[in-house]
Amino acid sequence: MKRLMQKARAGFFPSADASQPLAQTGGQQLVLKQTEQPAPATTSTVAPPTATDILRYRYHHGTNLGSVFVLERWLSPSMFVDGAAGGSELDAVRASLAKSGLDATRQKWESHWRGAVSDSDWDWLVHSGHCTTIRLPIGYFTLGARFCAGTPFDGQPAQVYANAWSAVRDFVARARAHGIGVLLDFHALPGGANAEDHSGTSSHQAALWGNAGFLALAQNAVVFMAQEARSLDGGVVGLQLCNEAVANAPGMYAWYDAVLNAVAAVDASLPIYLSDGWDLASAVRYSNRHNTVDRRGTNPVVIDTHKYYTFAASDKQQAPAQIIARVASELAELDGHERDVAGHGAAQAFVGEYSCVLDPQTWAKVDASQRSALILQFGQAQSRTWQARAGGSAFWTYKMDWMDGGEWGFVAQTKSGAIVPPPSLTLAAAAIQSRVAAAQQGREASKTAALAAHVAYWTRTAPAPAQPFEHWRYPLGWDVGFSDALAFAAGVGAGAGAGAGPGVHRIGLLDLWVCKRLRESDQRGPFVWEWEQGMRQGVAAAEQALGL
C-alpha cells in the first residue's frame, strides 16, 4: 500500500490513465470512499505570479558570462601582462600594478567590466541566443576592499575593485532591461572553494573549507549580495553560494545550513543555488530535506551541477558516439526524488556549466571529417536532456578574447545549431495571446475531465482496505497550475513593458514552484498530494492547450 501511494504522489500515473489495470484482491475490485465535504477553508495566500516570480522560476536557457569579473588567462590573455606569475585574477592584477600602477590598472579593469557586453551583444543574446539567464561569475574581491581584508587581495590589489560592485549592479540592470535574469555566481571565495585558478588565486589550495575566518567572510559576502539583490528589480534570479566545491569538502553542508539561515533573514524568497561538490546524489538528498512544505520562511534551494566530458580519464577512453549516448541518462540521481514535494520535498537541478568540448584522445578515435556532425549531435543531445530533466542550463561560456569560442563558445555553438533553445522561446510572444484565450475557453471542460479521470482511476486502484481520499483537493490544485502556466506563457507581470524579452516561457523550476504554491495554499494533512497532483496536471493541461 505504501509503495503504491508513493508512486501515485510522485506522478507515477501522471495522466490518471483510465487504461491502467484494476487492482484486485481475491478477484474483487477495490472500492474507494471519498470524503464528501472539503476541510475548513485554508488561509491561502496564493496570488498571480509576479514579474520576479516569472524571471526566477521560468526555464533558464542561458550562458555563463565568462572571464570578466573573475579572470582566467586561457579565456582573457589580453588582461595578463608579461611577467604575470600565473593564470588567476590575482596574478593578473599584481602584474598590472607592478607594470602600470594603480590608476592605469583600475581603468583597465573597469573598461573590461563595463565593455564586456555591448548593445549588439544584448541584441544577439535576446533575439539569436534566446537567452533568458546569464550566470555571472564574481569574486569576493568584486564586492570591494572591505571584503578583501585578511586575504591575498588586501592592500593595493583591493583598491582596483573600488567600483567593481557598481559595475555588477549596472550589468544586472542592463540585463533586466532586456528581459534577461542574472544568477550571481560566487565563483571565487576567500581561500578557494577549490584549488583551481578560477578561485581567484594560484594557491592551488581549497583553503576555504575548515577555515573559520574564510567561511565567516564568505557568509558575510553572500548576505551582502542578498541585501543588494532586493533593490535590483528582480533582475537577480538566484544567488550561488560557491562554484565547484572540491569533492568531499569538509563541513560544506554545515556551512550551507548557516548561510541559508542568514540569507533567509534577509530575503527568504531568493532562490539559492548550491554546488553539488561533484556528488549530485548527496546534494539531491540535501535539497529534499530542505525544500519541504513545512519549512516555511526558508529559501528555495537549487542544485548547481556541472557536466563536462573531456577531463576524466574515463571520458578520454571513449569515442564521441559513446559519450553522446551517455547524455540521455544524465541527471538520473533525480529519479525518485522529484515530482512528489508533499511526500519527500523538492529536488531541482540546474546545469550551471557544460560545453561541446571533447578531449583530443576522444577525437582521435574517429575520422576528422566526422567532427562537425558529431559536435552537432553532442550539443543537441545535451540540450534535450537538460531541458527534460533540469530547471535550466548555462553554457560555458559567452565571452573570451577569441570569439566566437569554438566548442567552448555559446555563440559558436548556437550559430551552428548544436545548442538549441526550448521551442517555446522561439515563438513570438504576441502569437501566444490567441492561444491563451482559446485555452481559457476550454478550461472548465478540461478540468472536469481531469478530475473525472483522477477519481475513476483511484476508484479502481485504491489499496485495501477502502480509504477515504480527499478528491476535492485535486481541482483546487489544478486551477492554480493551469492559471500559473498561462501566466508564465503570457508574460503576465513580466510583459514587454517590464522587459520580458521575446519568446514564451514555461515553468522551469517546477518542483520548487510546486513547493512554493503548496506553502502558500496552506494545504495540510495526508492527502495534500492530491492537490499537488492536481496542480501538476493543471500545468500540463495548460501547456498542452497552448501547444508548448
Coordinates of all heavy atoms in Angstrom, one line a residue, residues 65-72 75-79 89 105-117 167 399-401:
L65 N 28.8 34.2 -18.3 CA 29.3 35.4 -19.0 C 30.8 35.1 -19.4 O 31.2 35.5 -20.5 CB 29.3 36.6 -18.1 CG 29.8 37.9 -18.7 CD1 29.1 38.3 -19.9 CD2 29.8 39.1 -17.7
G66 N 31.5 34.5 -18.5 CA 32.9 34.2 -18.9 C 33.9 35.0 -18.0 O 33.6 35.4 -16.9
S67 N 35.1 35.2 -18.6 CA 36.2 35.7 -17.8 C 36.1 37.3 -17.8 O 36.9 37.9 -18.5 CB 37.5 35.3 -18.5 OG 38.6 35.9 -17.9
V68 N 35.2 37.8 -17.0 CA 35.0 39.2 -16.9 C 35.3 39.7 -15.5 O 36.3 40.4 -15.2 CB 33.6 39.6 -17.3 CG1 33.4 41.1 -17.2 CG2 33.4 39.2 -18.8
F69 N 34.5 39.3 -14.5 CA 34.8 39.7 -13.1 C 35.7 38.7 -12.4 O 36.2 39.1 -11.3 CB 33.4 39.9 -12.4 CG 32.6 41.1 -12.9 CD1 31.6 40.9 -13.8 CD2 32.9 42.3 -12.4 CE1 30.9 42.0 -14.3 CE2 32.1 43.4 -12.8 CZ 31.2 43.3 -13.7
V70 N 35.9 37.6 -12.9 CA 36.9 36.6 -12.4 C 37.7 36.2 -13.6 O 37.2 35.4 -14.5 CB 36.2 35.4 -11.7 CG1 37.3 34.4 -11.2 CG2 35.3 35.9 -10.6
L71 N 38.9 36.6 -13.7 CA 39.7 36.4 -14.9 C 40.3 35.0 -14.9 O 40.7 34.4 -13.9 CB 40.9 37.4 -14.9 CG 40.5 38.8 -15.1 CD1 41.8 39.7 -15.0 CD2 39.8 39.1 -16.4
E72 N 40.4 34.4 -16.1 CA 41.1 33.2 -16.4 C 41.9 33.4 -17.7 O 41.4 33.9 -18.7 CB 40.1 32.1 -16.7 CG 39.2 31.7 -15.5 CD 38.3 30.5 -15.7 OE1 38.9 29.5 -16.2 OE2 37.1 30.6 -15.4
L75 N 41.1 32.3 -21.2 CA 40.0 33.0 -21.9 C 40.3 34.4 -22.2 O 39.8 35.0 -23.2 CB 38.7 32.9 -21.0 CG 38.1 31.5 -20.8 CD1 37.0 31.6 -19.7 CD2 37.4 31.1 -22.1
S76 N 41.0 35.1 -21.3 CA 41.3 36.6 -21.5 C 42.8 36.8 -21.4 O 43.2 37.5 -20.4 CB 40.5 37.4 -20.4 OG 39.1 37.1 -20.5
P77 N 43.6 36.3 -22.3 CA 45.0 36.6 -22.2 C 45.4 38.0 -22.3 O 46.5 38.5 -21.7 CB 45.6 35.8 -23.3 CG 44.5 35.6 -24.3 CD 43.3 35.5 -23.4
S78 N 44.5 38.8 -22.9 CA 44.8 40.3 -23.0 C 44.9 41.0 -21.7 O 45.5 42.1 -21.6 CB 43.8 40.9 -23.9 OG 42.5 40.9 -23.3
M79 N 44.3 40.4 -20.6 CA 44.3 41.0 -19.3 C 45.6 40.7 -18.5 O 45.8 41.1 -17.4 CB 43.1 40.7 -18.5 CG 41.8 41.2 -19.1 SD 41.7 43.0 -19.1 CE 41.5 43.4 -17.4
E89 N 43.1 35.7 -11.4 CA 42.8 37.1 -11.2 C 43.9 37.9 -10.4 O 44.4 38.9 -10.8 CB 41.5 37.3 -10.5 CG 41.1 38.7 -10.1 CD 40.3 39.4 -11.2 OE1 39.7 38.7 -12.1 OE2 40.3 40.7 -11.2
T105 N 45.8 50.5 -13.9 CA 45.2 49.2 -13.7 C 43.7 49.2 -13.4 O 42.9 48.5 -14.0 CB 45.9 48.4 -12.5 OG1 47.3 48.3 -12.9 CG2 45.3 47.1 -12.2
R106 N 43.3 50.1 -12.5 CA 41.9 50.3 -12.2 C 41.1 50.7 -13.5 O 40.1 50.1 -13.8 CB 41.7 51.3 -11.2 CG 40.2 51.5 -10.8 CD 40.1 52.7 -9.8 NE 40.6 52.4 -8.5 CZ 41.0 53.3 -7.6 NH1 40.8 54.6 -7.9 NH2 41.5 53.0 -6.5
Q107 N 41.7 51.6 -14.3 CA 41.0 52.0 -15.5 C 40.9 50.8 -16.5 O 39.8 50.6 -17.1 CB 41.8 53.1 -16.2 CG 41.1 53.6 -17.5 CD 41.8 54.8 -18.1 OE1 42.9 55.2 -17.6 NE2 41.3 55.3 -19.2
K108 N 41.9 50.0 -16.6 CA 41.9 48.9 -17.5 C 40.9 47.8 -17.0 O 40.1 47.3 -17.8 CB 43.3 48.2 -17.5 CG 43.4 47.0 -18.4 CD 44.8 46.4 -18.4 CE 44.9 45.2 -19.3 NZ 46.2 44.6 -19.4
W109 N 40.8 47.6 -15.7 CA 39.8 46.6 -15.2 C 38.4 47.1 -15.4 O 37.5 46.4 -15.8 CB 40.1 46.3 -13.7 CG 40.9 45.0 -13.5 CD1 40.4 44.0 -12.8 CD2 42.2 44.6 -14.0 NE1 41.3 42.9 -12.8 CE2 42.4 43.3 -13.5 CE3 43.1 45.2 -14.7 CZ2 43.6 42.6 -13.8 CZ3 44.3 44.5 -15.0 CH2 44.5 43.3 -14.5
E110 N 38.2 48.4 -15.1 CA 36.8 48.9 -15.2 C 36.4 48.9 -16.7 O 35.2 48.7 -16.9 CB 36.8 50.3 -14.6 CG 36.9 50.3 -13.1 CD 36.8 51.7 -12.5 OE1 36.5 52.7 -13.2 OE2 37.0 51.8 -11.2
S111 N 37.3 49.2 -17.6 CA 36.9 49.1 -19.0 C 36.6 47.7 -19.4 O 35.6 47.5 -20.2 CB 38.1 49.6 -19.9 OG 38.3 51.0 -19.6
H112 N 37.3 46.7 -18.8 CA 37.0 45.3 -19.1 C 35.6 44.9 -18.6 O 34.8 44.3 -19.3 CB 38.1 44.5 -18.5 CG 37.9 43.0 -18.8 ND1 38.1 42.5 -20.0 CD2 37.7 41.9 -17.9 CE1 37.9 41.1 -20.0 NE2 37.7 40.8 -18.7
W113 N 35.3 45.3 -17.4 CA 34.0 45.0 -16.8 C 32.8 45.6 -17.6 O 31.9 45.0 -18.0 CB 33.8 45.5 -15.4 CG 34.9 45.0 -14.5 CD1 35.5 43.7 -14.5 CD2 35.4 45.7 -13.3 NE1 36.4 43.6 -13.5 CE2 36.4 44.8 -12.7 CE3 35.2 46.9 -12.7 CZ2 37.1 45.1 -11.6 CZ3 35.9 47.3 -11.6 CH2 36.9 46.4 -11.0
R114 N 33.0 46.9 -17.9 CA 31.8 47.7 -18.5 C 31.7 47.5 -20.0 O 30.7 47.8 -20.6 CB 31.9 49.1 -18.1 CG 31.8 49.4 -16.6 CD 31.7 50.8 -16.2 NE 31.4 51.0 -14.8 CZ 30.3 50.9 -14.2 NH1 29.2 50.7 -14.9 NH2 30.1 51.1 -12.9
G115 N 32.8 47.1 -20.6 CA 32.8 46.9 -22.1 C 32.6 45.5 -22.5 O 32.6 45.2 -23.7
A116 N 32.4 44.6 -21.6 CA 32.3 43.2 -21.9 C 31.1 42.8 -22.8 O 31.2 42.0 -23.7 CB 32.2 42.3 -20.6
V117 N 30.0 43.5 -22.5 CA 28.7 43.2 -23.3 C 28.2 44.5 -23.9 O 27.8 45.4 -23.2 CB 27.7 42.6 -22.4 CG1 26.4 42.2 -23.2 CG2 28.2 41.3 -21.7
A167 N 29.6 48.2 -11.0 CA 29.6 47.6 -12.4 C 28.7 46.4 -12.5 O 28.0 46.2 -13.5 CB 31.0 47.3 -12.9
K399 N 31.9 35.0 -23.3 CA 32.9 36.0 -23.6 C 34.3 35.4 -23.4 O 34.6 34.9 -22.4 CB 32.7 37.3 -22.8 CG 31.7 38.2 -23.4 CD 32.2 38.8 -24.7 CE 31.2 39.7 -25.4 NZ 31.7 40.4 -26.5
M400 N 35.1 35.6 -24.5 CA 36.5 35.3 -24.4 C 37.2 36.2 -25.5 O 36.6 36.8 -26.3 CB 36.8 33.8 -24.7 CG 36.4 33.3 -26.1 SD 34.6 32.9 -26.1 CE 34.6 31.4 -25.2
D401 N 38.5 36.3 -25.4 CA 39.3 37.1 -26.4 C 39.1 36.6 -27.8 O 39.1 37.3 -28.7 CB 40.8 37.2 -26.0 CG 41.1 38.1 -24.8 OD1 40.1 38.7 -24.3 OD2 42.2 38.2 -24.4

